[in-house]
Amino acid sequence: MKRLLQRDVWVFDLDNTLYPAHTAVMSQVETRMTEFVMQLLDLEREAAFKVQHGYWHDYGTTLNGLMVNHKIAASDFLDFVHDIDHSVLTPNPVLAEHIAALDGARIIYTNGSVRHAENVLARLGLDHLFEGIFDIAAADFTPKPQRESFDRFLKRHAVNPSSAVMFEDSARNLETAAGIGFATVLVRARENVGNGHTAGPGEHPEFVDYAVDCLDTFLGEVVETLKERPA
């Protein structure tokens, strides 16, 4: 835990980080993204799915690809894809207790929208624990892992990365974070191995300081370690 002892800014990704990746949240969002592309371009589902993932690969997010190539309004896309059933999420009082015990600033940094983040946090019982939400609109629609997005986050929240920890399910996002001085924690999801987002147990890259299978457990250990550090 040495990398975390002098840190006092706790930056959390949202989806597949604050709740387990197997929870049916992002699967709903993925389906809605495909449906948006189907309607916009008058495509069958399989063809729309290929366009959707092609844009994600080439532009960082499907939204960015659609904005560049089809001049859509970002709000139309975000409102549509985040119109999902958030009731699949349940309160996590253990996680809430651990996050509340972290001294310093606590911030959400997501490629999603503020509205979606607020809905997720409310369902998890974490909505009172963060001083800010930095979303894709705040990043001027420049997504993680692009350095420009991080620079805007740091400026907006006056964060010194050498004082910050980032929790993410995306290894490629953590690579950028580590390069500018963040301590990094990869929240692993076994089912995502191979898609470019996460690494399985024992398979994390060197720029990841800690790779964990359970955020609740890890944060509990962090809190106990912080209590024991010299005043």
Side-chain angles (χ1 to χ4, degrees):
M1 299 291 179
K2 291 182 180 180
R3 285 277 290 161
L4 306 185
L5 290 180
Q6 303 304 318
R7 309 279 168 151
D8 60 4
V9 180
W10 309 89
V11 181
F12 290 85
D13 177 48
L14 183 80
D15 292 305
N16 295 347
T17 297
L18 291 179
Y19 59 83
H22 60 75
T23 309
V25 174
M26 289 309 293
S27 58
Q28 293 185 70
V29 173
E30 284 274 340
T31 297
R32 296 287 288 173
M33 285 195 289
T34 303
E35 291 172 353
F36 186 93
V37 176
M38 289 172 65
Q39 295 178 22
L40 178 70
L41 303 181
D42 192 23
L43 296 174
E44 296 296 326
R45 182 172 296 276
E46 183 176 353
F49 182 80
K50 289 180 179 178
V51 170
Q52 169 194 337
H53 277 260
Y55 285 163
W56 172 83
H57 181 271
D58 294 340
Y59 295 93
T61 65
T62 300
L63 171 59
N64 280 64
L66 290 171
M67 290 173 66
V68 169
N69 292 282
H70 305 285
K71 312 303 180 186
I72 69 163
S75 58
D76 291 344
F77 177 85
L78 293 170
D79 289 347
F80 185 90
V81 303
H82 291 141
D83 184 15
I84 63 171
D85 178 14
H86 288 90
S87 69
V88 296
L89 293 163
T90 56
N92 187 340
V94 172
L95 182 60
E97 179 182 358
H98 294 332
I99 291 176
L102 297 172
D103 291 331
R106 302 183 293 265
I107 308 167
I108 297 294
Y109 181 6
T110 175
N111 279 346
S113 67
V114 165
R115 177 185 174 190
H116 174 62
E118 290 174 342
N119 286 333
V120 169
L121 294 174
R123 287 295 305 174
L124 293 173
L126 307 177
D127 47 321
H128 60 297
L129 296 175
F130 296 93
E131 69 177 42
I133 298 171
F134 187 85
D135 75 334
I136 193 64
D140 197 22
F141 302 102
T142 303
K144 296 178 286 183
Q146 294 186 37
R147 174 61 186 269
E148 187 178 356
S149 177
F150 279 83
D151 288 343
R152 287 172 176 156
F153 168 79
L154 296 175
K155 183 177 181 180
R156 170 69 67 89
H157 291 282
V159 171
N160 179 347
S162 65
S163 298
V165 184
M166 190 164 197
F167 297 82
E168 265 275 2
D169 72 305
S170 169
R172 67 177 189 166
N173 292 347
L174 289 180
E175 184 172 15
T176 304
I180 58 178
F182 281 83
T184 55
V185 180
L186 178 66
V187 182
R188 298 182 290 204
R190 189 68 199 179
E191 60 269 33
N192 284 345
V193 172
N195 72 0
H197 283 285
T198 62
E203 299 170 357
H204 60 85
E206 63 181 13
F207 54 80
V208 171
D209 294 313
Y210 305 93
V212 304
D213 297 312
C214 178
L215 181 61
D216 298 16
T217 300
F218 180 74
L219 283 181
E221 295 171 356
V222 170
V223 169
E224 290 303 313
T225 300
L226 293 177
K227 289 178 180 178
E228 295 170 1
R229 67 183 176 181

